[in-house]
Amino acid sequence: MKHFQAILAQVQALLSSQTPRQVRALLDSLLEEELLSREYHCALLREPDGDALARKISLTLLEKGDLDSAFLSWVCNGLQAPTAERGTSYRDHQGHSLCATMELGSPEGSYLELLNSDADPLRLYHLYEQTDLAGEEEIELSSEPDMDTINYDQFSKLLQDMEMDEETREAYANIAELDQYVFQDTQLEGLSKDLFIEHIGAEEGVGENTEIPVEAGQKPQKRCFPEEHTVDAKHRKLAPTSRTSLNYLDLPTGHIQIFTTLPQGLWQISGAGTGLPSVLIYHGEIPQVNQVLPSSSPTVPSLPQSPDRPGSTSPFAPSAADLPGMPEPALTAHVNETEDTTSPSPCQEGPEFSIELPKWPESVERFQHSLQDKYKTLPESPSGPLVAVELVRARLERGSNKSQERDLATPDWTERQLAHGGLAEVLQVAGDCRQPRETQVVAVLGKAGQGKSHWARTVSHTWACGQLPQYDFVFYVPCHCLDRPGDTYYLRDLLCPPSLQPLAVDDEVFDYITRQPDRVLLILDAIEELEAQDGFLHGPCGPLSPEPCSLRGLLAAIFQRKLLRGCTLLLTARPRGRLAQSLSKADAIFEVPSFSTKQAQTYMRHYFENSGDQHKALGLLEAQPFLLTHSHSPVLCNAMCQLSKALLEQGTEVPLPRTLTGLYVDLLGPAAQNSPPGALVELAKLAWELGRRHQSTLQETQFPSVEVKTWAVTQGLMQQTLGTTEAQLAFSSFLLQCFLGAVWLAQCNEIKDKELPQYLALTPRKKRPYDNWLEGVPRFLAGLVFQPRAHCLGALVEPAAAAVADRKQKVLTRYLKRLKLGALRAGRLLELLHCAHETQEPGIWEHVAHQLPGHLSFLGTRLTPPDVYVLGRALETAGQDFSLDLRQTGIEPSGLGNLVGLSCVTRFRASLSDTMALWESLQQQGEAQLLQAAEEKFTIEPFKAKSPKDVEDLDSLVQTQRLRNPSEDAAKDLPAIRDLKKLEFALGPVLGPQAFPALARILAAFSSLKHLDLDSLSENKIGDKGVSELSATFPQLKALETLNLSQNSITDVGACKLAEALPALAKSLVRLSSLYNNCICDKGAKSLAQVLPDMVSLRVMDVQFNKFTAAGAQQLASSLQKCPQVETLAMWTPTVPFGIQEHLQQLDARISLR
């Protein structure tokens, strides 16, 4: 420390007599000698505080080791080199006046002198910050010193300009030593020490609103320094704090106003470890002192300590990371400043002034306003009137196959978690689990036509209206504007694509965005259109290059959190394909649900609210139950409303069609009649070719002629993409593109007949599989080929083109009749039923229905209302009995009731919670007959509890039975409980001990239980307590034949309890199949050996991998001699010598050592 003081004194003396040019010459020479890094060199050039500059130079020299006088002489020579003098207006390469800042800087001397000076730390900070003002703006001088302005952007800019390097870390380590040296005198007054600690980085101090008692007549002691004043106003006693809304701390420059309760808009930065309770930051106009201050306000974390502030060159500059969301501009309030009797510092001798800093650079503020103006106009929904829907929380789960891919999980209807908080909850859910300064990824998934894009545009509109203050910038980017193979991109091209009415992003704006990515929300809409960029989520990416890169590389850098790290990334996509499998690292996943029946009716009422035909339109729709189930899709609901309106305007009583194919044929029929020759076929070809490339937009130049383009736009088949500057058009809906693609397949000669079945996408192909991106094509293709030509395909294309469909019909008929339905997965089976329904061909429909297997499992496959309709119709046509597994299908209660009510359905399995909700609903509606059928057909055999919710649902089922049958008459028990024969419990070592007591309490209700398996691959560990609870139920489990207690941490205590209770199962228990891998020792083995002769029905017993010794093994072997009914006793264990085990096996061959 003495060595440091010697170096510091010399450097201070040299710097005090040198010009800015000579100081810069010294720093340049230190850089050339590699004593400074380039970043630290730039930071020192901008250092406004002469004392701080001397200290940092001294620390840099000190860390090089013992420096002799020759080296210091070289430093002196470097400073005293003869150079031409510059004027006082000399500015460095950054445009800052070094001379001015040195003159207006802190008082000369070290931190010790700063401690004893009269300088206001906040004023010193502002004097430092003036060197960071953009350009060369003049500093306005003010005669009112009661308000200083702190700009949060300058905090961030300061910390990001100067990254923490080795020199800075070493400097702060030396400062810590200096701190220890200064405060080694324990008599130093607490307030002075605390003020000093706040600025040099000590970790401990006095908390907020702490009173420092000073007894009467006692004079505080402190270390004296040469520069100390006789009367030091800094160390005056504190007045006792009061409970009023304002407290005052007496400092030399006046009273700093300290609020114990804060008004709205006033933010508190609590200074832990300081004598000051807090620093106040206010957004907007500061309130009057005499205002009544409310008691609640947001609190910003405390000002950071110096060693924790990377790259900070000012001891008063807080870290940007420690001030999240700090209001801008921020004002620090000083009130009632008075002059002190002590001699003023050099800074106080000059005129009073106030520095007014702008909130942002002017160009950044202009850009934000332009962006808000762009998003303030909310475009109308292309699907008609808007009906609000609540997003549903979603998650990914591992698929049933052996691959590592994850698919979107299908929750049961009652398990859905709705985002009732709307957009705020969507963003908050992911923010809660985000690490600081990490990119937040939120995915919103939904089928085509569900309204994802409109929801995404609503987000940007909400921000433009000022309802998302946590973001400074929101960028909405439709991905169809980016999918241009061969193009290269900069980041600014992604934020503001040239085809989207781009705003000018100059260097200053772009620099601000990249420096504060946590204030940026980037929305990538319809990202499945970029799916052709295969692997961009996992593609290689390196550091950001100034050169343009491919879209894949740019997106990979953002998704992998290497670019714009800390931003919020909001994606919308369809829940299928490679994208959904790549969202395992997303912070939150939501799904856009379909319309409920009530929402569909609301949609139609809004659509016909001005025409008065609401009831007639609903009547037309209710007459076609299949189309009614499709009203849950917004885009199809809009199509049905359009056709209903056209039929009502004609005044005819023509009903709506019975299929989706008929719906779109009737919609496009009038447009096709008024089209230029071949226009619809040309448009259909474009739709098919775009779909093969995973695209739905095209340029005007891609149309075969201007007439075709004009006709398509006029008829509403194509529409201008929102917000684009280029001549870009998109299909009015995704299903329309699918229908037009099917029209092309049905009438073209370019596709061979033998290749046509692959486009139904029912049987997967190992070689060149068909990418079913246009997922609606199979159903439309079946309908166009099989339905009567005059009313279907013939109404859209020329007769010669329609005749081609006859040949295609024979090919598809032969293919459908050769299909083996038993080999199809549940999803493909449902697709086949839809295709058969669209054909309206009785022969094909009956053939498919009669091929259905007796047991249909849809476990994990989502069942939508249209799926439920075609499935129910097929079951009725089949004329045989069926059992259905409807677990994890998300089936609605009404659909579940419709399937359960079918006479051909004799058994069904569904979620316990969904089933009990159905029972309750039927009971409230008075559907006694259907309720009885739902109870009798429901089964849970076999039941496997894999989560605490499964145990809770099973308990609820038992409680429901007890409420309905208080007399415990077995004849009135629910069949699901009465007939349960196998129960598995597999919750693992953490949840198992917690959930087993609840299961043990209801086990007695399952009187027919034959197999109780408490084993789990990950161990349940129910322990001795669990065995004790289980043993108490044995008298009621009179049918139990198999009991598995493997891997449950059972000791001798549990084994003894088990042995005491086993005689209750003597006549039923056939297999005590496993006490494998427990902790049973000799005492437990002896108890089991004693009860073994009483188990007259026991055939198999397994006690392998326990802790008993040869004595326990011999007791079991001796007991086995008395049990002729036992066939196998498996008891190999490593604690018994193998020779003894072999000897026991030789005595009785029933002993197994495998």
Side-chain angles (χ1 to χ4, degrees):
M1 183 58 67
K2 293 182 179 180
H3 197 181
F4 168 74
Q5 290 178 334
I7 298 176
L8 178 62
Q10 295 184 52
V11 175
Q12 285 178 334
L14 292 173
L15 290 179
S16 61
S17 60
Q18 304 305 316
T19 64
R21 181 181 178 184
Q22 292 173 318
V23 173
R24 180 169 182 174
L26 168 65
L27 296 178
D28 291 342
S29 63
L30 294 177
L31 177 63
E32 293 174 0
E33 295 293 332
E34 298 183 353
L35 297 177
L36 295 177
S37 66
R38 185 167 299 277
E39 293 79 6
Y40 198 45
H41 173 264
C42 295
L44 293 181
L45 286 177
R46 299 172 58 186
E47 176 59 60
D49 187 351
D51 177 65
L53 181 61
R55 174 175 49 82
K56 292 178 180 179
I57 294 176
S58 301
L59 290 173
T60 301
L61 299 177
L62 179 64
E63 71 177 355
K64 303 304 177 181
D66 294 331
L67 302 177
D68 54 16
S69 58
F71 186 78
L72 289 177
S73 300
W74 171 82
V75 174
C76 297
N77 293 335
L79 284 173
Q80 296 170 354
T83 55
E85 293 291 329
R86 289 182 180 267
T88 56
S89 61
Y90 163 69
R91 296 180 179 268
D92 66 358
H93 65 287
Q94 297 289 342
H96 304 303
S97 176
L98 292 176
C99 182
T101 56
M102 296 295 287
E103 291 175 358
L104 293 175
S106 63
E108 296 182 358
S110 64
Y111 266 109
L112 302 179
E113 297 168 356
L114 176 62
L115 177 64
N116 293 277
S117 72
D118 296 325
D120 183 1
L122 293 174
R123 186 179 300 277
L124 290 179
Y125 170 70
H126 294 316
L127 292 175
Y128 166 73
E129 280 297 332
Q130 69 177 333
T131 63
D132 274 342
L133 291 176
E136 299 183 1
E137 298 179 357
E138 293 294 329
I139 299 175
E140 296 183 4
L141 301 180
S142 173
S143 59
E144 299 179 1
D146 59 348
M147 185 178 300
D148 294 329
T149 306
I150 302 176
N151 192 304
Y152 170 55
D153 294 329
Q154 294 185 339
F155 286 140
S156 300
K157 184 174 184 299
L158 172 69
L159 299 176
Q160 293 172 4
D161 280 346
M162 298 171 291
E163 298 182 352
M164 173 71 86
D165 55 13
E166 193 62 29
E167 284 89 351
T168 310
R169 287 195 294 269
E170 185 66 24
Y172 282 128
N174 292 327
I175 292 174
E177 294 181 13
L178 181 61
D179 167 36
Q180 184 179 3
Y181 166 78
V182 171
F183 296 116
Q184 63 184 359
D185 189 346
T186 58
Q187 299 300 320
L188 184 64
E189 182 179 318
L191 175 61
S192 302
K193 177 177 178 178
D194 288 338
L195 286 173
F196 189 85
I197 289 174
E198 179 186 14
H199 300 312
I200 66 172
E203 294 292 334
E204 300 177 356
V206 182
E208 183 179 358
N209 292 336
T210 302
E211 299 183 14
I212 303 179
V214 181
E215 297 182 5
Q218 181 179 356
K219 188 174 182 178
Q221 301 292 325
K222 66 182 183 69
R223 181 181 299 274
C224 297
F225 298 98
E227 301 85 1
E228 183 179 358
H229 297 285
T230 306
V231 180
D232 193 350
K234 265 188 176 292
H235 296 209
R236 288 181 293 182
K237 300 177 183 178
L238 283 174
T241 58
S242 65
R243 295 297 179 183
T244 60
S245 61
L246 298 180
N247 293 337
Y248 293 93
L249 180 64
D250 195 6
L251 290 176
T253 55
H255 296 286
I256 294 182
Q257 182 176 359
I258 299 174
F259 298 84
T260 56
T261 57
L262 305 179
Q264 184 176 4
L266 200 59
W267 293 62
Q268 174 184 2
I269 304 177
S270 57
T274 70
L276 295 175
S278 60
V279 176
L280 301 179
I281 309 298
Y282 185 70
H283 181 60
E285 296 182 2
I286 192 164
Q288 298 298 324
V289 176
N290 55 3
Q291 279 185 273
V292 178
L293 302 175
S295 60
S296 62
S297 66
T299 302
V300 181
S302 60
L303 286 173
Q305 310 297 335
S306 295
D308 298 333
R309 281 178 277 161
S312 174
T313 59
S314 170
F316 310 111
S319 167
D322 291 334
L323 294 175
M326 179 176 176
E328 301 162 342
L331 303 179
T332 303
H334 288 247
V335 297
N336 299 334
E337 283 197 358
T338 58
E339 291 295 325
D340 259 314
T341 56
T342 57
S343 58
S345 66
C347 292
Q348 293 173 327
E349 291 177 353
E352 299 292 343
F353 62 91
S354 173
I355 306 174
E356 295 183 1
L357 300 178
K359 175 183 177 182
W360 289 338
E362 185 177 351
S363 59
V364 176
E365 193 166 358
R366 284 199 308 268
F367 178 79
Q368 189 202 45
H369 291 329
S370 302
L371 203 60
Q372 289 174 337
D373 294 340
K374 177 181 177 181
Y375 294 143
K376 276 185 179 178
T377 304
L378 182 63
E380 295 183 0
S381 172
S383 301
L386 180 63
V387 176
V389 295
E390 294 177 338
L391 299 186
V392 178
R393 290 290 303 273
R395 60 183 176 84
L396 298 176
E397 64 180 6
R398 198 175 305 279
S400 57
N401 51 12
K402 296 181 180 180
S403 67
Q404 298 297 318
E405 295 179 351
R406 293 178 177 268
D407 299 323
L408 192 66
T410 304
D412 295 318
W413 182 261
T414 54
E415 292 180 354
R416 300 186 314 157
Q417 300 179 24
L418 298 176
H420 296 292
L423 176 60
E425 180 177 343
V426 171
L427 298 175
Q428 181 65 29
V429 165
D432 291 341
C433 58
R434 178 175 66 170
Q435 297 297 325
R437 310 293 294 180
E438 282 294 335
T439 301
Q440 172 185 356
V441 180
V442 182
V444 178
L445 308 179
K447 291 185 176 181
Q450 295 291 94
K452 302 183 300 298
S453 296
H454 186 80
W455 184 87
R457 290 192 295 270
T458 304
V459 174
S460 59
H461 172 76
T462 302
W463 169 77
C465 295
Q467 299 181 29
L468 293 176
Q470 66 267 39
Y471 300 112
D472 291 338
F473 300 100
V474 172
F475 298 97
Y476 169 76
V477 183
C479 290
H480 63 77
C481 299
L482 303 175
D483 197 12
R484 298 180 179 180
D487 285 3
T488 55
Y489 293 84
Y490 293 97
L491 176 59
R492 66 182 67 193
D493 296 331
L494 176 64
L495 299 178
C496 295
S499 59
L500 271 184
Q501 299 177 359
L503 302 175
V505 184
D506 57 26
D507 293 339
E508 188 174 23
V509 173
F510 183 73
D511 181 66
Y512 183 89
I513 293 172
T514 55
R515 286 175 181 270
Q516 301 195 41
D518 56 317
R519 307 284 296 174
V520 174
L521 172 61
L522 175 59
I523 305 172
L524 297 180
D525 184 26
I527 201 170
E528 73 275 355
E529 297 196 12
L530 299 179
E531 209 168 9
Q533 305 280 346
D534 189 15
F536 69 84
L537 293 179
H538 305 287
C541 68
L544 182 61
S545 171
E547 299 298 327
C549 61
S550 65
L551 178 62
R552 175 181 176 181
L554 191 62
L555 292 175
I558 295 177
F559 275 87
Q560 297 176 28
R561 296 169 169 85
K562 296 179 181 179
L563 182 61
L564 278 183
R565 183 171 183 175
C567 71
T568 300
L569 184 61
L570 181 60
L571 313 175
T572 67
R574 298 181 206 161
R576 58 175 300 160
R578 292 182 294 272
L579 177 67
Q581 300 163 5
S582 303
L583 292 177
S584 58
K585 295 184 179 180
D587 297 282
I589 303 177
F590 292 86
E591 190 173 4
V592 181
S594 302
F595 279 169
S596 64
T597 302
K598 184 177 180 180
Q599 288 172 331
Q601 294 174 351
T602 302
Y603 184 98
M604 296 194 71
R605 284 196 297 269
H606 288 335
Y607 191 94
F608 290 100
E609 62 183 354
N610 296 325
S611 63
D613 295 331
Q614 299 178 11
H615 298 291
K616 293 181 180 179
L618 286 173
L620 287 175
L621 186 57
E622 291 173 354
Q624 297 297 342
F626 177 69
L627 286 186
L628 182 61
T629 61
H630 276 290
S631 65
H632 293 260
S633 169
V635 66
L636 283 174
C637 192
N638 178 261
M640 285 181 272
C641 289
Q642 291 181 19
L643 184 57
S644 299
K645 183 178 180 180
L647 294 177
L648 292 174
E649 288 177 352
Q650 294 175 6
T652 60
E653 297 183 357
V654 178
L656 290 174
R658 294 184 293 176
T659 64
L660 288 182
T661 305
L663 174 67
Y664 275 88
V665 167
D666 289 353
L667 281 175
L668 269 67
Q673 294 176 1
N674 300 325
S675 67
L680 184 63
V681 174
E682 294 292 341
L683 188 62
K685 183 178 180 180
L686 281 176
W688 174 252
E689 292 176 348
L690 288 173
R692 296 303 299 270
R693 299 196 298 268
H694 295 190
Q695 295 177 352
S696 58
T697 59
L698 69 161
Q699 305 295 325
E700 289 186 357
T701 56
Q702 294 180 256
F703 283 94
S705 64
V706 178
E707 292 78 7
V708 173
K709 185 208 73 170
T710 304
W711 165 78
V713 174
T714 303
Q715 297 296 330
L717 306 180
M718 305 293 296
Q719 58 187 12
Q720 184 77 25
T721 54
L722 297 172
T724 58
T725 57
E726 299 179 353
Q728 195 173 44
L729 299 174
F731 291 95
S732 59
S733 72
F734 176 73
L735 279 181
L736 176 62
Q737 184 180 1
C738 292
F739 178 78
L740 292 173
V743 170
W744 169 252
L745 289 177
Q747 58 83 42
C748 73
N749 288 312
E750 300 177 10
I751 297 177
K752 297 179 181 180
D753 293 342
K754 64 179 182 180
E755 296 178 356
L756 191 63
Q758 70 170 314
Y759 298 114
L760 292 183
L762 297 176
T763 51
R765 298 177 59 188
K766 295 182 180 179
K767 294 182 178 180
R768 300 179 62 188
Y770 167 60
D771 183 9
N772 188 26
W773 191 78
L774 293 172
E775 55 189 17
V777 164
R779 304 180 191 183
F780 287 132
L781 178 60
L784 290 170
V785 170
F786 282 94
Q787 289 188 23
R789 188 188 310 169
H791 302 289
C792 189
L793 190 60
L796 301 176
V797 299
E798 299 294 332
V804 180
D806 294 339
R807 187 176 68 252
K808 299 179 183 294
Q809 180 178 337
K810 295 179 181 179
V811 174
L812 292 181
T813 300
R814 186 166 57 251
Y815 169 74
L816 292 174
K817 290 187 175 181
R818 289 180 179 178
L819 279 177
K820 297 181 180 180
L821 273 63
L824 295 180
R825 293 183 179 179
R828 297 185 186 275
L829 177 60
L830 291 172
E831 188 65 28
L832 173 60
L833 293 178
H834 279 287
C835 291
H837 174 78
E838 290 293 327
T839 63
Q840 292 294 292
E841 183 69 30
I844 292 179
W845 177 254
E846 292 179 2
H847 172 79
V848 171
H850 287 96
Q851 292 294 319
L852 290 174
H855 175 70
L856 293 173
S857 175
F858 297 95
L859 178 65
T861 302
R862 180 158 305 191
L863 288 177
T864 62
D867 296 334
V868 173
Y869 176 85
V870 296
L871 176 60
R873 184 166 172 261
L875 296 179
E876 288 180 316
T877 305
Q880 67 180 48
D881 293 340
F882 291 94
S883 64
L884 304 178
D885 189 350
L886 305 175
R887 291 173 295 170
Q888 298 178 24
T889 58
I891 186 172
E892 295 185 1
S894 59
L896 179 60
N898 292 337
L899 291 179
V900 170
L902 297 177
S903 59
C904 59
V905 176
T906 57
R907 285 285 183 271
F908 80 95
R909 289 202 67 175
S911 162
L912 278 171
S913 54
D914 286 357
T915 304
M916 288 187 287
L918 173 65
W919 291 348
E920 184 179 356
S921 175
L922 294 176
Q923 188 175 17
Q924 293 175 354
Q925 296 172 9
E927 298 282 351
Q929 185 176 358
L930 185 55
L931 174 60
Q932 182 180 358
E935 291 179 350
E936 292 178 353
K937 296 177 182 181
F938 179 60
T939 179
I940 58 175
E941 169 67 23
F943 187 85
K944 184 173 183 179
K946 297 186 292 185
S947 68
K949 185 181 184 303
D950 294 335
V951 179
E952 293 172 4
D953 290 343
L954 194 62
D955 180 68
S956 299
L957 181 65
V958 173
Q959 299 306 324
T960 300
Q961 172 180 274
R962 290 173 179 173
L963 290 174
R964 297 186 181 183
N965 184 21
S967 62
E968 298 186 0
D969 184 1
K972 298 181 180 180
D973 285 349
L974 291 173
I977 296 178
R978 185 182 63 233
D979 299 336
L980 180 64
K981 294 179 174 58
K982 183 176 181 180
L983 175 60
E984 297 181 57
F985 181 80
L987 268 71
V990 177
L991 299 177
Q994 301 174 12
F996 184 75
L999 179 65
R1001 286 194 297 269
I1002 61 175
L1003 274 178
F1006 304 102
S1007 56
S1008 300
L1009 189 65
K1010 292 184 177 182
H1011 188 141
L1012 179 58
D1013 190 350
L1014 301 180
D1015 185 15
S1016 173
L1017 293 178
S1018 57
E1019 305 182 10
N1020 282 315
K1021 294 187 177 181
I1022 64 173
D1024 297 332
K1025 181 180 178 182
V1027 172
S1028 178
E1029 295 170 340
L1030 174 64
S1031 300
T1033 65
F1034 284 172
Q1036 288 78 33
L1037 301 179
K1038 297 179 180 180
L1040 189 63
E1041 297 178 355
T1042 302
L1043 178 62
N1044 189 344
L1045 292 171
S1046 297
Q1047 306 186 105
N1048 277 291
S1049 302
I1050 301 173
T1051 66
D1052 285 344
V1053 176
C1056 294
K1057 288 284 186 181
L1058 182 64
E1060 293 175 3
L1062 279 177
L1065 303 175
K1067 296 182 180 180
S1068 64
L1069 191 63
V1070 177
R1071 299 173 63 90
L1072 184 56
S1073 59
S1074 187
L1075 285 168
Y1076 170 89
N1077 196 19
N1078 282 290
C1079 304
I1080 301 174
C1081 298
D1082 289 339
K1083 184 178 179 181
K1086 180 180 178 181
S1087 300
L1088 294 174
Q1090 291 174 350
V1091 77
L1092 196 57
D1094 298 334
M1095 307 301 294
V1096 295
S1097 299
L1098 189 64
R1099 298 293 182 269
V1100 179
M1101 183 174 177
D1102 185 355
V1103 290
Q1104 295 185 93
F1105 283 92
N1106 277 279
K1107 302 286 181 68
F1108 55 81
T1109 64
Q1114 289 175 355
Q1115 288 178 333
L1116 287 171
S1118 299
S1119 180
L1120 183 61
Q1121 299 296 326
K1122 306 174 186 178
C1123 305
Q1125 78 280 4
V1126 177
E1127 298 175 355
T1128 303
L1129 174 61
M1131 66 173 191
W1132 185 92
T1133 180
T1135 56
V1136 178
F1138 187 70
I1140 296 178
Q1141 297 186 56
E1142 280 189 327
H1143 173 69
L1144 295 176
Q1145 188 181 37
Q1146 291 173 0
L1147 295 177
D1148 195 331
R1150 294 176 295 173
I1151 296 177
S1152 173
L1153 301 179
R1154 292 183 300 173

